[in-house]
Amino acid sequence: MARGKYNALEKLNILEEVSRGEIGSLAAAKKYEINKTTLMKWQRRYKLYGSEGLKSRTHNQSYSAELKTPSGEGLS
């Protein structure tokens, strides 16, 4: 059974374990019950954005009223 979501610190610890060569990517994926593709995504995000890239992202962002424009405004 899958463990669920990992926080940024847990992801970083897993990535460091792999990068130190203590465990391979496939073995880490199996050990921590994550898909190897997920592990590769974490590695890519960490390489591009550092530890910020490992934080959970919200897909449905809310915007302030100042950023929103009334419907139809600016359409001509």
Side-chain angles (χ1 to χ4, degrees):
M1 182 177 206
R3 178 199 177 274
K5 291 189 176 188
Y6 287 92
N7 66 38
L9 183 59
E10 291 170 324
K11 292 175 186 178
L12 182 59
N13 288 335
I14 293 168
L15 293 178
E16 287 178 345
E17 187 176 354
V18 172
S19 69
R20 287 191 303 261
E22 295 175 12
I23 191 170
S25 295
L26 291 175
K30 193 174 279 191
K31 177 180 177 180
Y32 295 104
E33 298 179 347
I34 55 176
N35 190 295
K36 68 177 185 168
T37 306
T38 300
L39 184 59
M40 290 169 28
K41 285 180 186 178
W42 292 355
Q43 289 172 321
R44 185 178 65 246
R45 288 184 188 148
Y46 183 66
K47 186 176 181 180
L48 290 172
Y49 307 110
S51 58
E52 285 294 312
L54 299 177
K55 291 183 179 177
S56 293
R57 301 179 310 164
T58 45
H59 294 285
N60 295 326
Q61 296 181 345
S62 58
Y63 297 95
S64 67
E66 292 122 21
L67 291 176
K68 296 179 181 178
T69 58
S71 179
E73 184 176 303
L75 297 176
S76 310

